[in-house]
Amino acid sequence: MSVWAQEASESEKKSSCITCHLEMGDELAAPIEGMKEDVHDRQGLSCEDCHGGDPTVGFDGDMEASMDPEKGYIGIPKRTEIPQFCARCHSDPNYMRRFNPRVSTDQLSRYKTSTHGKLLEQGDTKVATCTDCHGVHGIRTAKDARSAVYPLNIPETCGQCHADEEYMQDYRIPTNQIEEFKQSVHGMALLEKGDQAAPACNDCHGNHGANPPGAPSIAFVCGQCHLNNSELFFESPHKEAFDEMGLPECETCHGNHAIEHPTDAMVGAGEQSICTDCHEEDSKGYVTAVAMRQQIEKLKSQMSLADSLVTKAERAGMQVSEAQFKLNDADDALIKARTTVHSLSVSQMSAVTEEGMKLSEEALQTGREALAELQFRRKGLAVSMVVICILAIGLYMKIKDVDKKHPLRTSDKLT
Ligand code: HEC
Ligand code: HEC
Ligand code: HEC
Ligand code: HEC
Ligand code: HEC
Ligand code: HEC
Ligand code: HEC
Ligand code: HEC
Ligand code: HEC
């Protein structure tokens, strides 16, 4: 058990660190305000658990007695020492389990594998250490919306350095990741819709360095969430070809920070096709691209024809809900067909689009029948109107005829 653990129970007592630092005011008192919301404080830890020293002496103003190196006072760590400073607890499973039985204690060992950790070890103090991402006095769990590592706050936290051109000028990397991310499908989903299923920076890069960029496992990162695309890609001819050429997998076609909503125009031989970037006319890749696009377009036009007929029938008050269900299912097939682009197999796509074609043909048929029925009902209505008119005219003539034969007398009218 670490010395820190033994001291934890003492922290309940009145602390001279707090008493004196409050008196000193300003910067020396600021940590106390911050600590009120800190996870460490909630666990009963206090100043001396991190900084060392003796909080039971020094109430008389003797700061040396309290902040005494003999009593373990270590003061504030240098930037290069911060990981070790935090890790003396966070890498000690025996100590940490007393507070939380399921806590992980791998932050430091992972951090050492990241670019940040490696460069810090070489003495580069501009990289991120524990306190740059978590703060100092006022550290919160990631679940707390005010935490610097809460998913929605992550881009800002990384952006303190990565979006600061001047700060990053010594390094040969761009400073546009945050800007690009904000406009990407992922950034919009996370930051605008608050959809936490979408990745923040750390979901792709790892919290502490599990998946540093450049590692072959970045492909698995996309695949963790986009399972189907990943499986199809891995079975496709691109897998081996991209590996051989040293091309990143998903990123080659979709990018990384500026990922956009893909469109059908990305497949085929048109101007926006990405297939033609690598495949020459008449090659197998090219022919496949064209065939795939045709499948998708054929299904889309069949669906839109069916949809317009069904909608027309519905507006006229016909019961067409079954056809609408079929069109919804056809739409699901279209979505699946777009995923099968990643297989590069026209037959695999056809299996899906044909199902969609069948459903939209059935919907189309229902739409046609509904409109025919409507036509029939309208004709029926017209015929009955004519019959009613004829009857009405007949009745009118009859009344007139009777009136002529028996005109009303004035005396009758008065009674
Ligand atoms: C009697 C007053 C007093 C007591 C008790 C006291 N401090 Fe301080 N502390 C100060 C003053 C004054 C300074 C600033 C001057 C200095 O750094 O020597 C300071 C500075 C610090 C610093 C910053 C050191 C640096 O290098 O900038 C830390 C950390 C600190 N104290 C922690 C503690 C802890 C932990 C305790 C309790 C174990 C404690 N203090 C108890 C008065 C006190
Ligand atoms: C979780 C560990 C931790 C706890 C608990 C903690 N500190 Fe600190 N403190 C640090 C670290 C790390 C630094 C250095 C920050 C840096 O360099 O960015 C620091 C810096 C300081 C400083 C230097 C000025 C500053 O704000 O950077 C003072 C003074 C200080 N702490 C006092 C305290 C007092 C008083 C308490 C109790 C109320 C306390 N600390 C609790 C980790 C802690
Ligand atoms: C004296 C031991 C100790 C030191 C030193 C320490 N911590 Fe902690 N820390 C703990 C304990 C105990 C917990 C509570 C564990 C829990 O509830 O999961 C904790 C919790 C945390 C959490 C929240 C974990 C979660 O479950 O979300 C973070 C983040 C954290 N510490 C970061 C730091 C950083 C950064 C430093 C260095 C500046 C540091 N700690 C220094 C003991 C320590
Ligand atoms: C580049 C930013 C960054 C650095 C540097 C960093 N962390 Fe973290 N840390 C995170 C993120 C992000 C999370 C997870 C948030 C989540 O769970 O969504 C996290 C989570 C944690 C947790 C909660 C338990 C866990 O592992 O998920 C602890 C404890 C922690 N960090 C401690 C540390 C310590 C100690 C260091 C220094 C050795 C450190 N962190 C360095 C970003 C960072
Ligand atoms: C305190 C400033 C700072 C913070 C905060 C910070 N970084 Fe960094 N980061 C750096 C510096 C400096 C480098 C070194 C640049 C290089 O690789 O040459 C770096 C490197 C990286 C690299 C490696 C780039 C490469 O060379 O391929 C990645 C990835 C990275 N950071 C991601 C993040 C993420 C994600 C966050 C937030 C969770 C973050 N950083 C927070 C300063 C920071
Ligand atoms: C969807 C996954 C994903 C997300 C989200 C993401 N990145 Fe990246 N990032 C990557 C990939 C992939 C690379 C390229 C890795 C390679 O090829 O070496 C990369 C590269 C980087 C680099 C190296 C320099 C560069 O631009 O190529 C930095 C720094 C970086 N990312 C920081 C961030 C920050 C900060 C965020 C949050 C705003 C973020 N990333 C969000 C996947 C992601
Ligand atoms: C943490 C999970 C996660 C990771 C990791 C992830 N994504 Fe996503 N991605 C999502 C979510 C959720 C959405 C849906 C966002 C929305 O609602 O628009 C999405 C959307 C997309 C879209 C747009 C889909 C569409 O129909 O508009 C593409 C393309 C995409 N991601 C590619 C990637 C690539 C490439 C990577 C790896 C570099 C990656 N994703 C990593 C969760 C993730
Ligand atoms: C050869 C280029 C290429 C590669 C490599 C690639 N994609 Fe795609 N991806 C596309 C095209 C083209 C579309 C658009 C299909 C359409 O809308 O008709 C697309 C669409 C998507 C979509 C939206 C449609 C859907 O399935 O929901 C996601 C998500 C996606 N890709 C993820 C990935 C992931 C994850 C990887 C890596 C495993 C990857 N892609 C690799 C070209 C590629
Ligand atoms: C970054 C370049 C690149 C892009 C973009 C790309 N491919 Fe490929 N593709 C290759 C390479 C390299 C091969 C393997 C060598 C070859 O057969 O041309 C390959 C192979 C293929 C094959 C197998 C060919 C065979 O001979 O068996 C098909 C089919 C294919 N690609 C279709 C597509 C489609 C469809 C797209 C667009 C969605 C696309 N490719 C986008 C580079 C690319």
Side-chain angles (χ1 to χ4, degrees):
M1 190 184 296
S2 72
V3 271
W4 306 99
Q6 288 155 25
E7 280 179 8
S9 56
E10 298 291 323
S11 71
E12 302 289 300
K13 290 185 190 153
K14 217 166 165 252
S15 156
S16 66
C17 324
I18 292 174
T19 313
C20 183
H21 273 254
L22 265 180
E23 257 175 51
M24 296 289 141
D26 291 340
E27 273 172 28
L28 290 176
I32 297 160
E33 191 53 37
M35 283 300 289
K36 281 182 186 158
E37 301 271 353
D38 192 290
V39 275
H40 299 96
D41 183 67
R42 295 221 172 125
Q43 294 282 7
L45 301 178
S46 191
C47 322
E48 66 281 7
D49 292 297
C50 279
H51 292 289
D54 186 351
T56 64
V57 296
F59 288 101
D60 56 356
D62 184 356
M63 62 182 248
E64 263 103 44
S66 177
M67 301 197 300
D68 182 0
E70 298 268 295
K71 297 218 173 131
Y73 179 74
I74 48 174
I76 56 168
K78 288 203 209 86
R79 255 184 94 70
T80 48
E81 292 165 355
I82 289 175
Q84 206 51 60
F85 180 91
C86 308
R88 51 173 204 263
C89 298
H90 281 284
S91 294
D92 180 347
N94 294 329
Y95 173 76
M96 290 306 293
R97 267 189 219 123
R98 290 178 38 206
F99 298 90
N100 179 352
R102 277 169 304 162
V103 74
S104 59
T105 48
D106 60 355
Q107 294 87 14
L108 179 62
S109 56
R110 282 179 180 265
Y111 174 73
K112 283 181 169 165
T113 69
S114 72
T115 306
H116 294 144
K118 284 184 192 152
L119 290 178
L120 188 79
E121 209 138 83
Q122 292 165 22
D124 183 341
T125 53
K126 285 180 103 177
V127 295
T129 84
C130 319
T131 50
D132 294 307
C133 295
H134 290 288
V136 188
H137 308 109
I139 294 174
R140 298 179 170 98
T141 75
K143 288 178 212 88
D144 188 326
R146 292 165 302 172
S147 164
V149 293
Y150 182 68
L152 273 71
N153 302 336
I154 289 266
E156 284 294 307
T157 301
C158 311
Q160 295 171 82
C161 304
H162 283 286
D164 185 337
E165 242 172 81
E166 209 181 307
Y167 189 85
M168 296 300 288
Q169 69 183 354
D170 300 338
Y171 305 94
R172 282 197 215 104
I173 61 170
T175 47
N176 59 357
Q177 298 90 8
I178 287 89
E179 215 27 61
E180 290 198 335
F181 175 75
K182 279 186 183 162
Q183 283 157 24
S184 74
V185 274
H186 292 142
M188 302 273 246
L190 180 73
L191 302 172
E192 278 171 30
K193 289 188 230 150
D195 177 4
Q196 295 197 18
C201 319
N202 61 318
D203 290 304
C204 290
H205 291 287
N207 295 338
H208 300 110
N211 285 303
S217 56
I218 202 93
F220 295 111
V221 168
C222 312
Q224 276 174 356
C225 302
H226 300 287
L227 212 66
N228 293 335
N229 305 75
S230 171
E231 269 172 15
L232 293 173
F233 175 85
F234 269 66
E235 287 158 13
S236 81
H238 277 165
K239 168 69 183 149
E240 212 187 304
F242 282 23
D243 279 353
E244 265 172 27
M245 295 165 76
L247 289 175
E249 301 176 325
C250 317
E251 217 192 322
T252 299
C253 296
H254 292 289
N256 51 22
H257 301 125
I259 295 172
E260 284 179 12
H261 173 63
T263 62
D264 296 332
M266 284 166 69
V267 201
E271 226 167 67
Q272 286 164 286
S273 164
I274 45 169
C275 315
T276 50
D277 289 355
C278 302
H279 293 288
E280 304 251 318
E281 214 170 329
D282 296 334
S283 69
K284 188 162 175 220
Y286 187 96
V287 172
T288 305
V290 171
M292 283 186 151
R293 179 67 183 279
Q294 274 170 354
Q295 295 273 336
I296 291 175
E297 293 305 328
K298 206 170 91 192
L299 176 55
K300 280 199 316 201
S301 64
Q302 181 78 352
M303 280 170 66
S304 104
L305 182 62
D307 187 53
S308 67
L309 282 194
V310 169
T311 309
K312 202 168 157 193
E314 194 211 2
R315 290 220 180 104
M318 301 300 286
Q319 173 52 266
V320 287
S321 56
E322 203 181 317
Q324 279 161 332
F325 287 136
K326 283 191 176 145
L327 277 176
N328 284 344
D329 289 346
D331 204 40
D332 288 344
L334 178 61
I335 290 169
K336 261 193 224 149
R338 288 176 172 141
T339 305
T340 61
V341 165
H342 300 86
S343 72
L344 309 182
S345 152
V346 181
S347 63
Q348 210 160 328
M349 181 185 271
S350 305
V352 182
T353 49
E354 267 157 27
E355 179 63 26
M357 286 297 282
K358 198 172 138 249
L359 287 160
S360 22
E361 262 153 31
E362 283 166 13
L364 185 67
Q365 192 53 34
T366 314
R368 279 204 180 114
E369 279 163 11
L371 286 178
E373 163 99 19
L374 193 66
Q375 207 76 48
F376 179 72
R377 283 192 203 162
R378 279 192 182 142
K379 269 186 200 145
L381 190 67
V383 169
S384 39
M385 286 302 284
V386 170
V387 171
I388 289 167
C389 279
I390 291 169
L391 283 176
I393 292 166
L395 201 62
Y396 176 74
M397 304 287 271
K398 181 82 189 159
I399 290 166
K400 254 190 146 181
D401 199 33
V402 171
D403 267 2
K404 247 188 223 159
K405 281 181 189 156
H406 311 280
L408 286 175
R409 282 165 302 177
T410 353
S411 57
D412 283 345
K413 272 185 197 164
L414 290 171
T415 45

